[in-house]
Amino acid sequence: MRRRLPLKNKHKKMKQLLAGPYMFWCAAFIIIPLLMILYYGFTDKDGGFTFLNIARITTPENLKALGLALLLSFVSTVFCLILAYPLSMILTNLGVNQQSFIVLIFILPMWMNFLLRTLAWQNLLEKNGIINVVLEFLHLPSLDIINTPYAIVLGMVYNFLPFMVLPIYNVLSKIDKDIIAAARDLGANSVQTFLRIILPLSVPGIISGVTMVFVPALTTFVISDLLGGSKILLIGNVIEQEFKQGSNWHVGSGLSLVLMVFIIISMALIAKYDKDGEGTAF
């Protein structure tokens, strides 16, 4: 007679089978591309080992692009946090139906193509764009921020704001209302309740949101291309040019490895402050 496998072993084998496509996806689209970047980043055109590709980040042009990218991504992250936190608190205090509808409004832009969203802002902000046409009709001064860092920050805030709102909202919505009520019963006012209860409990969402905004803002090149008029080079634009215009995959990969340092730091912060994944489970 054939012996039946224990139920536990059957579940284990089933999980392994279901994990197969995911492991293939990880290998094909994550591990192999990373290995290619590592190879090109640490080799020259002849295939010899070198650190010169990474050292190219120290040239004045690349340092300027990296510094500007860090500054603009930091500013856009701060603006996103300032807008997202009170908005998340408002969403948390709304009724279920209103809450779901407003959250859907913030998710909708994420379903639209990233390039189209940025092109829409280009049409709004250009000198003969919709905003200036309306301002001219109202006999008000025109808005001249296209092809400037201000336009790039505006594009970053618009595109990445949902990535700040959702993690913070997710954490705030999980805070037990009884804890807040207990703090009020013990004599804490609204400010004390926020500083001692709500804010500390929402740190995982803040860290997750800051990371999810800062890293893509730092590496973006589409926003600076369209809203900066290709006049303002960020480090993402430099890497894109090395790959596409200069066809120098070695230098492009070396500069990409430098940016990976910031990604690793962000992952370390999430692992430290959001151990349970509360800020990312949305």
Side-chain angles (χ1 to χ4, degrees):
M1 294 179 65
R2 293 177 60 185
R3 295 180 61 186
R4 292 186 178 182
L5 290 173
L7 189 60
K8 189 175 182 179
N9 290 343
K10 286 185 177 180
H11 287 167
K12 186 177 180 180
K13 285 194 173 183
M14 182 62 69
K15 287 180 181 179
Q16 291 175 347
L17 288 173
L18 292 175
Y22 176 74
M23 297 303 296
F24 172 78
W25 176 273
C26 287
F29 299 103
I30 299 177
I31 298 174
I32 294 176
L34 284 176
L35 292 176
M36 290 180 64
I37 291 174
L38 285 171
Y39 170 76
Y40 282 109
F42 285 108
T43 58
D44 55 23
K45 293 183 178 179
D46 298 324
F49 182 82
T50 181
F51 283 108
L52 292 178
N53 298 321
I54 297 176
R56 287 288 294 273
I57 194 66
T58 59
T59 63
E61 297 82 6
N62 291 340
L63 281 177
K64 181 181 178 181
L66 177 61
L68 185 58
L70 285 169
L71 176 62
L72 296 185
S73 56
F74 174 78
V75 172
S76 63
T77 302
V78 171
F79 273 111
C80 283
L81 181 59
I82 292 173
L83 293 172
Y85 202 97
L87 179 59
S88 300
M89 293 188 68
I90 293 171
L91 289 175
T92 305
N93 294 325
L94 287 175
V96 176
N97 293 333
Q98 292 175 314
Q99 190 182 63
S100 302
F101 175 73
I102 298 177
V103 170
L104 178 64
I105 291 176
F106 278 91
I107 295 176
L108 276 176
M110 298 170 63
W111 294 346
M112 189 171 63
N113 185 274
F114 182 86
L115 181 61
L116 292 178
R117 299 201 304 264
T118 310
L119 280 171
W121 272 106
Q122 185 184 43
N123 291 329
L124 287 170
L125 296 176
E126 61 186 4
K127 292 181 179 179
N128 297 321
I130 298 173
I131 293 178
N132 280 334
V133 169
V134 174
L135 291 175
E136 184 180 354
F137 176 78
L138 298 174
H139 302 287
L140 295 173
S142 61
L143 192 65
D144 190 18
I145 67 170
I146 193 69
N147 302 336
T148 67
Y150 302 105
I152 296 175
V153 170
L154 181 60
M156 288 179 177
V157 171
Y158 172 76
N159 280 292
F160 302 131
L161 181 61
F163 297 102
M164 182 72 78
V165 172
L166 294 177
I168 297 176
Y169 162 73
N170 183 65
V171 170
L172 290 177
S173 62
K174 291 181 179 179
I175 296 177
D176 193 344
K177 304 299 181 184
D178 292 337
I179 298 176
I180 299 175
R184 297 286 176 85
D185 292 340
L186 292 172
N189 56 33
S190 298
V191 175
Q192 291 173 328
T193 303
F194 173 75
L195 294 177
R196 296 187 180 184
I197 304 296
I198 299 175
L199 185 60
L201 291 176
S202 62
V203 167
I206 294 174
I207 297 297
S208 179
V210 166
T211 301
M212 293 175 69
V213 171
F214 183 80
V215 172
L218 176 64
T219 57
T220 187
F221 59 89
V222 174
I223 295 175
S224 50
D225 263 347
L226 296 178
L227 301 184
S230 300
K231 298 177 182 178
I232 302 172
L233 285 181
L234 305 183
I235 191 63
N237 301 106
V238 175
I239 294 173
E240 180 204 18
Q241 290 176 2
E242 292 291 349
F243 276 104
K244 295 177 66 176
Q245 298 178 14
S247 296
N248 194 336
W249 285 38
H250 298 276
V251 174
S253 298
L255 297 178
S256 299
L257 289 175
V258 175
L259 290 187
M260 283 187 186
V261 174
F262 296 96
I263 298 175
I264 293 172
I265 293 173
S266 67
M267 291 173 64
L269 287 173
I270 291 179
K272 181 178 180 180
Y273 293 101
D274 191 13
K275 296 179 181 179
D276 298 327
E278 294 180 357
T280 54
F282 58 85

